[in-house]
């Protein structure tokens, strides 16, 4: 037993974690030593030395005899006085107690209805004694204070000396204070270091002994560090227990940060084993490294402090383990696994259900609490915190996986990730859900186009050809491939495939409903060339791409370069397609749930042509002009295969072989049409009679096969097909797939398959297994470092494949899903031999890259019905919720395709800070308002960097600012100091802190030369706008980039401070023309009222404005009255003048009308092509927030640097309207703004008004400044001669 | 006559401002009538001291053998047939503020050719002056940028950085002056009718790489071009296409030839010339009609 006990002790003492902790303490001491050394710089030592000398000088002065004697007397006197105060205070306390007792007596007597006069007298006496004592105490306190007060009476004779003494004492205090402060950090560090690594023998012995058996039970420094998480339950089999995470026992520096949230132990992979080398390189291996993202995790200031969240809620693994093995670490790839096996004796443990997530799948843990996912991809503070899982989420949205695989968002009431169900497909279903309080409708639309009226759009030949292999017609399509996959290579499958395709095309054209199509006006001659211009400029390219306009476009919507080949053209005009015209003009007419917006390509009378122009007809002409329509090859099928497939399906429909043969033989289905619910309806007749002719019978059989095909492959999961509105998704639901029982994964012969196959044609590997073997060998051979991988990307990709492959071989979920998405039918390998054709696997092959597959896997593996308690679930407040929902919609409708939400950001070395000088035209109040609406941002990052400028090395501070790039480096310029990128700032940017800061106001220029450039980061959104601006600069605005921006979709930068939420709601649902300068219009998107509400609120939510609504003060009578009163008092408003009325005059004066329609008057067009026409002003009152309008009038460039709107009311020029507000320009701005915001009221009360300022008396002629007269040249010549 | 003499005084200063000797108003060829070429000095306001510019030893192309600066002059000549362009609008046209703006036929100043197909209003300037070139100092008096009958006067202007510009208007309708600089802060401010005082004043802080447009957004045809420079080597051709740039340090130089009607605005992005010490280099700059974009 003793031996066993000793054996246990030895084992316990050699636990892995102890080894790590000891090393960890050594490491910590070493870093402290480094920090102490760093503190002991020359400057530090010199300061300390200087302070010590100063202190000793003062001490010396204090020790001079006279002063010393005085000091001693003072100390004595102070002592006596203090004691007296203390004594008297004590007496006061006891007298107080006596007084309280008397009060008690009195109260008792009163309460008991006894005579109380005596008690009252006693109380007053006691109170008198207290008061007298109080006076004595105060006197003593004053005397105490007087001891050290040179001005006090007692000190008259020693005043000067005393002052000197006090001054010396004060100086000494300051110096020693400084010295202490200087030394304290060092002392603290030293103390801490000595604690961890003592130098004295005694301490070392003490520390050593605390590490010894038995003694270590008494609060040893070596101990298991436990994060106890009672509310974060852990599911173990059937029971759930509180979570204990002991990870920090070894990962002891995980939360160690330095000021500025820097990692105290940045992770690295140092080759050396010596901790001093790590310290020197400031690179630390696991488990000693700090968490890589302390901004988001672990630290107390982060949203996920380790004390509340622990580790395993995100990482999984066994939190209670205190060894590498027991922690259930998971390697990121087989190469790492081999390393771990050698170093730590690693082996996978099948008995722990939740091994740690490998690094590549780490983000799947995020969905447990972040059910919306959106915030993981875009967050104002943390940016994209989990980009991979967010990418997976977006890919699922793009490919519409939920069409077949329900992603419910919950399972038995337990929330699991996002709810991605399809929306109700019929009104009846929507109504049913609306009436059931326990049900919520799905919100996702089917991702494919509607096939309800497909016959209007294209022919049966195209349908069959396309479905057989969609990427053959359009390589970039997202439609997956249902045919010709790895389990369809047999002759039987090929024959049946041809029948299915024919049946499908036959059915879809047969079911196709009539479409009421639109047409251009009779006789309209479309112009393809003009159509191309509209196609480029009117917004099509914000979502689509087209080969005729390269370098533009977005993959939000299909590449339509080849649309001319497939679209059905008009019978009487092969150059036109009514379907295409209808589709572009009014997309919802063809496809009710399309996301394609209605772009308001209204017919108009242009200045280029005398007749009306129909842009849509022109666009149709352009698209069709790219080539002729085509007939598409379709796979030919044999009649016997049609019969045999019909037979196969009928047999499945529980008809006997004989019955089926009879049906086929007699062309008679044994039931009447109305009594059949299934697909067999296609074969039946109304009265159950035989079909007379072969052609009809064949058509019926084809329809039957078509129906079978649609329901077998679940086409309706993505497409709206007449008659399939209520069909259910055909795939396995994905909620809780992340915990799917691995024994239920249908692995079949996949290992064999990957041994022989698995790589696409043209791959240099003959099988996936060979590929993986190669990857592992290459990694073992040194990876990229030894060029056994060509690049880091290749290494990452190949080792990723190796990870999934190995995982699949070991029956893991990640491996299964990886191969399922790579080649879904491969699980049928050698299995089709024993299956009927109808039992073949049916999941189509999606055009996914392996990194996309990994992202999708990360998402799906995160769908687990294992939510932590409510408090851990991310629950955004109203503003954040709106932001998250808004972000989702921004992506859904591709708002970011056109609109830039965040400006590009440039980082550069700055020597001369860009600045803005205020001019006499600027209103002081305007600056205040600007700073209120746009809080200053700091331009300097605090970093310094070296640059080579003009062949000299210079160190410059680094600035980071965002703005719209308005000038680009000249490609012909060779001198980097002359290659300039110039940005217009939209922000107030300070360079430096406090009063010394240099300030750049919006519209200020930031010029960055190539030799100072560090990096450029694209803005968020607005790709189309940027393209369009470049295009217009070339084509329309004669090189003027500002005008080009005015013609393009505006950046929605701080839109929330600008627009009124209710107006935006209306606008989103029914967009109107706002700007006359733009070449395109805001489309009308097919969005719900709820979506419009969220999007309208979104901007107020993100921009920190009043949310979601705001008070429009300008319309309140109280405000208007106070303006009237105040301005009258100030003499700005004459007694009989009305505040709003003067504003109304100003608004209807000579300025606004120059560019705007206002007050019932229309803007006068001089040159339709070049005139700058501003928005009609009647909309302002509903559309804009008053602070914004005011700042806009004060100085428009401070809001939009590229605007053409001038500064109309310069501060130094109120005299242009001398009779309004007594020529006070500031009041003119306020009055005009308020008139704008009370527009309707003024129109009703005053009506249309024209105002012209009074004709001035002769202006004083200033010498030399008469108008320059072109005719004066001759005279000038004479004069100079 | 008082005003005339002041114009003459102004002219002396403005010659330098314009960087070329043309009408005496720095106006390029705002004027269709004949112009006078006055002696101009490019570095100081009036006095014609010789300029001493340290030859740049780093510049391989600089011949440092001379003992004095040289000049560069010549003409910009349109080759081919100049298309005729009529006025932007004629007197009495139905346009905004017609009583003022349509009081005259509005000349289209985009392309003005003079004697022997010389092209007016072409900017010829160095992008970067040789090292050591002193910056021209601004005049004490503000340079006047005027407008009359909804037309900017002058149409083209070279102006040193830091030089105060004063915007005036002789019209009874309001204007706005809107500049589109690349490297300077933009101006966009209304100018009240008949402002002869010049409430709007500004200076360009930085030089520009190309002339910048100045427009009035109220009257879309109104346009002028300003080129702020931080060196003296810039000129605008006069009505007959002549220009002269004085006191260049000897050696090889690269000039930019820019005109508003040229496609992409550059007649020649890199015109290379060599200046011999104390001599004048004369060059005729061809401007093909096919380069025009009207």
């Amino acid at each position: 037993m003793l031996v066993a006990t000793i054996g246990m002790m030895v084992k316990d003492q050699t636990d892995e974690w102890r080894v790590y902790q000891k090393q960890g303490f050594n490491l910590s001491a070493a870093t402290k030593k480094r920090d102490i050394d760093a503190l002991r710089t020359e400057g530090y030592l010199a300061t300390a030395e200087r302070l010590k000398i100063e202190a000793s000088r003062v001490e010396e002065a204090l020790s001079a005899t006279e002063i010393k004697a005085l000091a001693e007397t003072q100390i004595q006197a102070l002592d006596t006085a203090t004691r007296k105060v203390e004594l008297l205070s004590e007496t006061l306390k006891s007298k107080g107690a006596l007084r309280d007792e008397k009060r008690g007596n009195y109260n008792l007597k009163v309460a008991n209805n006894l005579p109380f006069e005596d008690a009252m007298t006693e109380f007053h006496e006691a109170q008198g004694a207290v008061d007298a004592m109080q006076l004595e105490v105060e006197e003593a306190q004053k005397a105490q204070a007087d001891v050290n007060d040179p001005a006090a009476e007692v000190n008259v004779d020693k005043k000067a000396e005393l002052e000197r003494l006090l001054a010396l004492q004060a100086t000494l205090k300051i110096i020693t204070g400084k010295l202490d402060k200087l030394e304290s950090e060092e002392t603290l560090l030293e103390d801490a270091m000595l604690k961890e690594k003592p130098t004295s023998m005694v301490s070392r012995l003490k520390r050593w002994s605390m590490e010894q058996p038995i003694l270590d039970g008494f609060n040893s420094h070596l101990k298991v560090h436990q994060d106890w998480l009672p509310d974060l339950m852990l599911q173990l089999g059937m029971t759930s227990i509180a979570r204990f995470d002991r990870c920090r026992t070894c990962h002891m520096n995980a939360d160690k940060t330095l000021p500025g949230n820097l990692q105290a132990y940045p992770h690295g992979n140092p080759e050396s084993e010596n901790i001093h080398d790590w310290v020197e390189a400031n690179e630390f291996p696991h488990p000693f490294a700090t968490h890589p993202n302390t901004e988001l995790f672990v630290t107390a200031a982060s949203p996920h402090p380790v004390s509340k969240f622990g580790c395993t809620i995100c990482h999984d693994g066994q939190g209670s383990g205190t060894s590498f093995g027991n922690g259930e670490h998971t390697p990121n790839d087989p190469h790492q696994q081999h390393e771990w096996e050698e170093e730590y004796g690693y082996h996978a443990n099948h008995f722990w259900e939740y091994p740690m997530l490998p690094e590549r799948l780490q983000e799947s843990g995020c969905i447990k609490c972040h059910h919306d996912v959106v915030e993981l991809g875009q967050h104002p503070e943390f940016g994209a915190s989990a980009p991979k899982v967010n990418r997976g989420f977006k890919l699922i949205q793009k490919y519409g996986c939920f069409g077949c695989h329900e992603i419910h968002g919950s399972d038995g009431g337990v929330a699991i990730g996002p709810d991605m169900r399809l929306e109700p497909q019929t009104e009846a279903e929507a109504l049913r859900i609306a009436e059931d309080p326990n049900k919520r409708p799905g919100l996702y639309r089917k991702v494919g186009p509607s096939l309800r009226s497909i016959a209007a759009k294209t022919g049966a030949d195209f349908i069959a050809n396309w479905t057989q292999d969609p990427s053959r017609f359009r390589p970039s399509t997202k439609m997956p491939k249902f045919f010709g996959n790895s389990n369809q290579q047999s002759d039987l499958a090929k024959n049946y495939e041809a029948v299915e395709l024919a049946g499908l095309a036959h059915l879809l054209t047969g079911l196709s409903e009539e479409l009421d199509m639109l047409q251009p006006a009779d006789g309209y001659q479309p112009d393809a060339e003009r159509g191309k211009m509209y196609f480029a400029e009117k917004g099509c390219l914000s979502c689509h791409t087209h080969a005729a306009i390269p370098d533009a476009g977005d993959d939000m919507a299909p590449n339509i370069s080849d649309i001319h080949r497939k679209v059905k053209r008009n019978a009487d005009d092969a150059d036109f397609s009514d379907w295409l015209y209808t589709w572009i003009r009014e997309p919802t007419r063809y496809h009710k749930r399309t996301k394609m917006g209605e772009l308001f390509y209204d017919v108009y009378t242009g200045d280029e042509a005398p007749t009306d122009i129909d842009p849509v007809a022109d666009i149709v002409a352009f698209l069709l002009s790219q080539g002729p329509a085509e007939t598409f090859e379709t796979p030919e099928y044999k009649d016997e295969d049609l019969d045999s497939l019909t037979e196969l399906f009928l047999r499945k429909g529980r008809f006997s072989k004989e019955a089926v043969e009879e049906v086929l033989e007699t062309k008679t289905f044994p039931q009447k049409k109305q009594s059949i619910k299934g697909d067999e309806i296609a074969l039946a007749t109304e009265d159950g009679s035989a079909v007379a002719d072969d052609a009809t019978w064949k058509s019926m059989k084809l329809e039957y096969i078509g129906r079978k095909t649609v329901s077998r492959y679940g086409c309706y999961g993505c497409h709206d097909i007449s008659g399939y509105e209520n069909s259910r998704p055909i795939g396995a639901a994905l909620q809780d797939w992340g915990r799917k029982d691995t024994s239920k994964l249908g692995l079949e012969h996949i290992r064999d398959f990957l041994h022989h196959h698995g790589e696409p044609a043209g791959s240099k590997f003959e099988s996936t297994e060979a590929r993986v073997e190669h990857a592992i060998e290459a990694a073992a051979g040194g990876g990229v470092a030894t060029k056994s991988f060509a690049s880091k990307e290749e290494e990452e990709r190949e080792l990723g494949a190796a990870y999934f492959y190995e995982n699949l071989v070991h029956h893991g979920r990640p491996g299964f899903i990886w191969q399922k998405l790579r080649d879904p039918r491969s699980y049928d390998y050698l299995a089709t031999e024993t299956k009927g054709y109808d039992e073949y696997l049916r999941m189509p092959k999606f055009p996914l890259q392996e990194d996309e597959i990994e992202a999708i896997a990360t998402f799906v593996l995160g769908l687990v019905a294992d939510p932590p308690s409510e408090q851990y679930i991310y629950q955004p407040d109203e503003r954040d919720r709106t932001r998250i929902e808004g972000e989702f919609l921004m992506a859904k409708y591709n708002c970011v395709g056109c609109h830039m939400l965040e400006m590009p950001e440039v980082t550069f070395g700055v020597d001369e800070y860009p600045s803005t000088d205020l001019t006499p035209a600027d209103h002081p109040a305007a600056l205040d308002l600007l700073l209120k609406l746009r809080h200053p941002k700091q331009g300097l990052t605090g970093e310094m960097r070296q640059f080579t400028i003009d062949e000299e090395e210079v160190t410059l501070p680094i600035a980071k600012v965002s703005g719209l790039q308005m000038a680009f480096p000249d490609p012909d310029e060779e001198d980097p100091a002359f290659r300039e990128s110039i940005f217009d700032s939209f922000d107030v940017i300070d360079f430096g802190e406090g009063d010394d800061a240099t300030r750049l106001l919006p519209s200020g220029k930031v010029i960055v030369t190539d030799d100072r450039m560090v990096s450029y980061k694209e803005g968020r959104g607005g790709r189309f706008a940027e393209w369009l601006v470049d295009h217009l600069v070339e084509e329309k605005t004669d090189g003027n980039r500002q005008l080009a921006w005015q013609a393009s979709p505006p950046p929605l930068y701080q839109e929330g401070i600008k627009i009124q939420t209710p107006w935006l709601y209306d606008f989103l649902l029914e967009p109107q023309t706002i700007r006359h300068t733009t070449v395109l219009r805001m489309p009308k998107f097919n969005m719900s009222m709820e979506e419009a509400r969220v999007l309208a609120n979104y901007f107020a939510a993100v921009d920190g404005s009043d949310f979601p609504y705001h008070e429009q003060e300008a319309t309140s009578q109280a405000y208007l009255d106070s303006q009237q009163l105040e301005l009258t008092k100030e003499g700005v408003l004459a007694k009989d003048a009305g505040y709003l009325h003067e504003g109304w005059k100003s608004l209807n004066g000579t300025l606004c009308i120059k560019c705007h329609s206002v007050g019932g008057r229309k803007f006068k067009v001089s040159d339709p092509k070049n005139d700058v026409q501003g928005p009609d002003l009647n909309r302002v009152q509903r559309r804009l927030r008053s602070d914004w309008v005011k700042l806009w009038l004060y100085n428009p460039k401070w809001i939009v640097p590229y605007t053409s709107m001038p500064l109309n009311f310069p501060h130094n020029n109120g005299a242009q309207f001398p009779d309004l507000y007594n020529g006070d320009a500031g009041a003119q701005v306020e009055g005009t703004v308020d008139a704008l915001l009370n527009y309707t009221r003024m129109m009703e009360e005053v009506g249309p008004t024209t105002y012209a300022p009074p004709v001035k008396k002769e202006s004083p002629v200033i010498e030399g400044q008469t108008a320059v007269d072109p005719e004066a040249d001759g005279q000038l010549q004479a004069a100079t001669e | 006559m008082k005003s005339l003499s002041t114009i003459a005084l102004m002219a002396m200063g403005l010659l330098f401002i314009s960087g070329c000797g043309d009408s005496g108003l720095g106006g390029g060829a705002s004027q269709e009538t004949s112009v006078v070429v006055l002696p101009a000095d490019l570095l100081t306001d009036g006095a014609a001291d010789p300029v001493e510019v340290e030859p740049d030893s780093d510049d391989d192309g600089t011949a440092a053998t001379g003992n004095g600066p040289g000049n560069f002059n010549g003409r910009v000549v349109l080759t081919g047939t100049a298309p005729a362009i009529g006025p932007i609008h004629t007197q009495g046209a139905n346009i905004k503020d017609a009583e003022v703006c349509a009081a005259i036929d509005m000349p289209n100043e985009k392309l003005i050719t003079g004697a022997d197909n010389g092209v007016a209003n072409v900017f010829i300037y160095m992008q970067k002056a040789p090292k050591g070139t002193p910056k021209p100092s601004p005049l004490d008096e503000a340079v006047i940028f005027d407008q009359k009958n909804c037309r900017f006067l002058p149409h083209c202007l070279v102006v040193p950085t830091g030089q105060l510009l004063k915007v005036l208007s002789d019209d009874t309708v309001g204007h706005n002056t809107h500049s589109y600089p690349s490297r300077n802060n933009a101006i966009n401010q209304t100018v009240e009718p008949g402002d002869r005082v010049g409430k709007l004043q500004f200076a360009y802080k930085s030089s520009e790489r190309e002339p910048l447009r100045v427009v009035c957004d109220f009257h879309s045809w109104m346009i002028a071009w300003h080129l702020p420079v931080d060196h003296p080597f810039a000129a605008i051709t006069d009505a007959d296409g002549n220009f002269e740039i004085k006191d260049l340090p000897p050696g090889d130089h690269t000039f930019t030839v820019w005109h508003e009607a040229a496609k992409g605005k550059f007649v020649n992005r890199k015109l290379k010339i060599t200046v011999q010490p104390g001599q004048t280099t004369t060059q005729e700059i061809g401007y093909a009609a096919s380069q025009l974009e009207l």
Side-chain angles (χ1 to χ4, degrees), chain A residues 669-882:
Chain A
F669 196 75
Q671 288 159 356
K672 288 183 188 164
K673 212 175 185 113
Q674 53 270 34
S675 65
I676 305 174
K677 288 230 164 65
D679 294 333
E680 285 73 23
I681 197 166
L683 295 173
T685 52
E686 300 290 341
D687 51 4
S689 61
V691 178
D693 66 300
D694 284 346
T696 311
W697 181 234
K698 185 174 171 182
S699 151
M700 288 165 81
K701 283 186 288 189
L702 272 176
E703 186 190 327
Y704 176 58
I705 298 299
R707 283 178 182 275
K708 280 287 168 200
T709 305
V710 167
S711 34
R712 262 167 37 81
Y713 292 111
C715 308
Y716 49 79
C718 291
H719 301 281
D720 174 34
I721 303 172
S722 178
Y724 287 84
E725 295 81 359
N726 293 317
S727 305
R728 307 306 309 160
I730 62 162
L734 293 184
Q735 54 265 23
D736 209 23
W737 201 91
R739 291 277 190 260
K740 188 181 174 96
D741 186 346
T742 48
S743 65
K744 289 185 184 152
L745 299 173
L747 294 164
E748 311 292 340
H749 309 295
I750 193 67
R751 193 171 182 170
D752 279 341
F753 176 80
L754 294 175
H755 179 66
H756 297 292
H757 313 279
E759 293 307 299
S763 163
K764 62 177 177 178
F765 301 107
E766 61 181 30
S767 73
T768 304
E769 191 180 288
R771 177 183 169 198
V772 167
E773 276 167 7
H774 174 265
I776 294 172
E777 265 170 41
V784 185
T786 57
K787 302 237 162 70
S788 45
F789 285 119
S791 64
K792 197 79 203 142
E793 290 73 40
E794 185 189 319
E795 181 176 71
E796 172 58 28
R797 187 183 65 235
E798 292 307 298
L799 286 177
Y803 164 79
F804 285 109
Y805 170 81
E806 290 285 342
N807 183 280
L808 175 59
V809 168
H810 292 95
H811 299 188
R813 289 178 287 256
F816 177 83
I817 194 171
W818 177 72
Q819 180 60 18
K820 190 77 181 168
L821 287 171
R822 266 172 28 112
D823 186 353
R825 309 282 176 86
S826 58
Y827 291 96
D828 248 354
Y829 182 63
L830 299 180
T832 47
E833 281 74 356
T834 55
K835 281 181 173 181
Y837 181 73
D838 58 313
E839 293 167 322
Y840 284 17
L841 289 174
R842 288 164 290 163
M843 167 137 166
K845 185 166 166 12
F846 284 86
L848 291 166
Q849 302 298 313
E850 285 187 355
D851 58 330
E852 294 177 310
I853 291 176
E854 187 169 310
I856 294 175
T858 306
F859 175 84
V860 174
L861 289 164
L863 298 175
V864 292
D866 189 13
S869 64
E870 197 79 344
Q871 56 170 312
Y872 286 95
I873 306 290
Y874 175 63
Q875 290 180 357
D877 63 16
E878 188 57 26
R879 233 179 229 273
D880 280 341
R881 162 133 320 274
T882 304

Side-chain angles (χ1 to χ4, degrees), chain A residues 108-123:
Chain A
L108 263 178
K109 292 199 169 162
V110 173
N112 293 327
N113 241 347
L114 296 170
F116 54 77
E117 283 76 15
D118 291 353
M120 189 189 233
T121 316
E122 276 175 31
F123 167 74

Side-chain angles (χ1 to χ4, degrees), chain A residues 27 31 34-35 253-258 261-270 275 277-294:
Chain A
L27 185 60
T31 50
R34 174 195 62 188
D35 295 345
N253 297 328
D255 61 337
K256 300 279 192 305
T257 52
L258 300 173
N261 206 11
L262 296 172
Q263 290 148 11
Y265 297 87
H267 180 239
N269 294 309
I275 57 171
D277 292 339
W278 305 349
V279 172
E280 197 178 328
N282 202 29
E283 266 193 7
F284 302 88
H286 287 310
F288 305 108
T290 307
H291 194 283
N293 188 352
T294 45

Side-chain angles (χ1 to χ4, degrees), chain A residues 540-555:
Chain A
C540 309
L541 291 168
S542 64
C543 292
H544 293 280
T545 38
H546 195 291
I549 306 169
D551 309 325
D554 192 294
D555 62 359

Side-chain angles (χ1 to χ4, degrees), chain B:
Chain B
M1 278 318 280
K2 187 181 167 194
S3 66
L4 258 186
S5 61
T6 49
I7 290 174
L9 267 175
M10 287 286 304
M12 291 301 286
L14 281 168
L15 283 171
F16 144 63
I17 299 301
S18 70
C20 69
D22 53 18
S23 67
L25 280 161
S30 293
Q31 299 78 10
E32 293 100 69
T33 50
S34 65
V35 293
V36 59
V37 179
L38 294 173
D41 181 83
L42 296 164
L43 277 176
T44 51
D45 39 343
D49 298 334
V51 186
E52 288 187 32
V53 176
E54 284 283 320
D56 181 3
S57 51
D58 293 340
D59 190 344
D60 300 338
T62 307
T65 51
N67 48 8
N71 297 337
F72 170 38
N73 65 17
R75 284 180 77 225
V76 178
V77 180
L78 195 72
T79 54
T81 318
I85 47 173
I88 290 169
H89 55 247
T90 49
Q91 197 173 359
N94 178 21
I95 52 166
K96 203 193 292 180
D97 297 328
E99 67 283 7
V100 176
C101 302
I104 55 165
D105 285 355
M106 186 59 63
N108 190 338
E109 292 164 294
K110 199 166 182 184
L111 178 64
I112 298 171
T113 46
D116 300 330
N117 259 5
V119 185
N121 289 333
V122 179
F123 288 78
I124 296 142
Y125 59 100
M126 270 192 205
Q127 290 276 0
K128 39 188 164 178
K131 269 189 189 168
T133 305
K135 283 192 179 184
S137 47
L139 298 177
D140 293 337
E141 271 201 71
V143 168
I144 304 301
F145 182 54
D146 209 341
Q147 40 212 324
K148 187 176 173 65
N149 291 125
C150 309
R151 172 186 175 202
F152 285 120
L153 300 167
H155 180 61
C156 290
L157 190 61
V158 172
V159 53
T161 51
Q163 172 64 50
L164 193 66
L165 284 155
K166 208 181 254 188
V167 182
L168 303 183
S169 167
D170 202 35
D171 287 336
T172 54
V173 296
H175 290 297
N176 80 320
T177 302
H178 186 181
S179 68
Y180 288 99
S182 279
R183 308 180 79 244
N184 289 277
N185 289 339
I187 301 291
N188 187 4
Q189 192 171 321
T190 49
V191 175
E192 68 176 285
D195 179 0
R196 304 309 303 160
V197 179
K199 285 184 176 136
L200 173 55
Q201 306 187 354
F202 64 95
Y204 294 105
K205 271 199 207 168
S206 312
S207 61
E208 293 279 346
R209 307 276 186 253
E210 277 184 60
L212 62 101
R213 76 183 75 212
V214 180
V215 306
C216 167
D217 296 303
F218 299 169
H219 308 103
S220 55
W221 60 89
M222 289 177 71
I223 189 164
W225 299 93
H226 292 179
L227 178 66
V229 286
D230 56 5
H231 59 73
F233 308 125
I236 305 170
T237 55
D238 68 13
D240 291 330
N242 300 303
F243 67 91
E244 179 171 39
I245 294 169
K246 285 190 158 186
D247 300 325
L248 282 156
D252 294 341
H253 297 293
T254 306
F255 280 87
T256 301
V257 184
W258 186 101
H259 186 243
E260 58 184 297
K263 264 181 212 145
K265 300 275 186 273
F266 292 98
V267 178
N268 190 339
R269 288 181 85 100
K270 286 187 176 166
L271 174 71
K272 299 204 189 271
I273 62 146
T274 306
V275 171
Q276 303 297 342
Q279 295 188 15
T280 296
T281 304
T282 305
Q283 186 160 344
E284 187 170 283
I285 301 169
Y287 181 176
S290 59
Q291 279 180 276
L292 288 169
E293 188 172 54
L294 289 165

